[in-house]
Amino acid sequence: MHDKVVVVTGGASGIGEAMVKRFCAEGARVVLGDVDDAGGLRVAEQHGAQFLHLDVRLPEHWQALEHLLGSDYGRLDALMNNAGIVSNQSIVEADISTWSNLLSVNLTGMMLGCQTAIKVMQKNPEGSAGSIVNTASSTSYLAIPGDVAYCTSKAGVVGLTKSVAVHCATEGLNIRANSIHPGATMTAILKQAVNEMPELEPKLARMSPMGRMGKVDEVAAMAFFLASEEAAFCTGGQFPVEGGTVSEHPRML
Ligand SMILES: NC(=O)c1ccc[n+]([C@@H]2O[C@H](COP(=O)([O-])OP(=O)(O)OC[C@H]3O[C@@H](n4cnc5c(N)ncnc54)[C@H](O)[C@@H]3O)[C@@H](O)[C@H]2O)c1
């Protein structure tokens, strides 16, 4: 990935921060997009990336990214479509503004990212090429009743990714798209819940038959593989990073 240009959304913390760290360490030129300006600037400075205030819900922010890539970088090799939020509302609690906002970030934001990435990647100097990695979740397959919008969005990411992958492949664009599916990983998204309910932490660890939560660097490693040429024949796939969580039959004891 040396000198490749990589965009990471949601790069100001957690899994996205680990992605920024990994790609920068591998010599890529990284643009980090996030709504958290303070966190984004901190991570960018720490690892040598460029921060851009990017709200993934807004088409005009994606246009600004497109212009930045055109004027300052002249290419895009990989997009980590990673920004995501939770709602903590079950089907009976869901209110329309929370539901709509979550889907705007977790699903529409990723669609806009795919559109933008394809546009820029098609204009790469050596010809159309690139890799899109969408952060889904183990909840794409296994529902949590307490967050209907989140589960819906993460299942939607699978369909989005497959459609993008098949479109790009059949159009001969040499642009790949895959989803990654972390299990419980200790980041800000879960830290808040664990602070409020400490008894949650061992339960989260037990979600995996390996008996522990995931580490952000383990998720970044999968993203790095999919972005690289090592994954040249991988597209439309769903790649788990969850210690076997969705492989296990519910336990009897
Ligand atoms: N942590 C887990 O257990 C887990 C498990 C499966 C999937 N995921 C997914 O991984 C991704 C990263 O989550 P995380 O755990 O690192 O959480 P996190 O809260 O640490 O990071 C999410 C980042 O997204 C940013 N963000 C939120 N709304 C945004 C918007 N509108 N535009 C741009 N950026 C925005 C936040 O500011 C934050 O920096 C998410 O898509 C999440 O759903 C997390």
Side-chain angles (χ1 to χ4, degrees), residues 73-86:
Y73 294 88
R75 62 184 304 116
L76 176 63
D77 298 287
L79 167 67
M80 303 298 112
N81 240 340
N82 169 75
I85 56 173
V86 295

Side-chain angles (χ1 to χ4, degrees), residues 155-223:
V157 172
V158 174
L160 169 73
T161 308
K162 287 183 182 180
S163 183
V164 169
V166 175
H167 169 83
C168 292
T170 52
E171 293 293 316
L173 299 182
N174 194 25
I175 296 170
R176 300 177 290 101
N178 295 284
S179 53
I180 55 174
H181 297 257
T185 311
M186 189 54 88
T187 64
I189 255 177
L190 285 181
K191 263 179 205 149
Q192 196 190 338
V194 167
N195 285 345
E196 284 162 19
M197 282 185 294
E199 68 277 14
L200 198 60
E201 196 165 355
K203 289 184 185 165
L204 289 166
R206 281 201 304 274
M207 282 169 66
S208 156
M210 290 178 78
R212 68 168 173 90
M213 295 176 74
K215 299 174 185 160
V216 289
D217 289 346
E218 293 169 333
V219 184
M222 177 63 87

Side-chain angles (χ1 to χ4, degrees), residues 216-241:
V216 289
D217 289 346
E218 293 169 333
V219 184
M222 177 63 87
F224 180 78
F225 164 70
L226 290 168
S228 78
E229 278 303 301
E230 298 288 311
F233 202 46
C234 298
T235 199
Q238 298 89 56
F239 292 81
V241 191

Side-chain angles (χ1 to χ4, degrees), residues 139-167:
T139 62
S140 300
Y141 311 114
L142 298 176
I144 40 173
D147 204 327
V148 66
Y150 187 78
C151 293
T152 305
S153 72
K154 293 303 182 182
V157 172
V158 174
L160 169 73
T161 308
K162 287 183 182 180
S163 183
V164 169
V166 175
H167 169 83

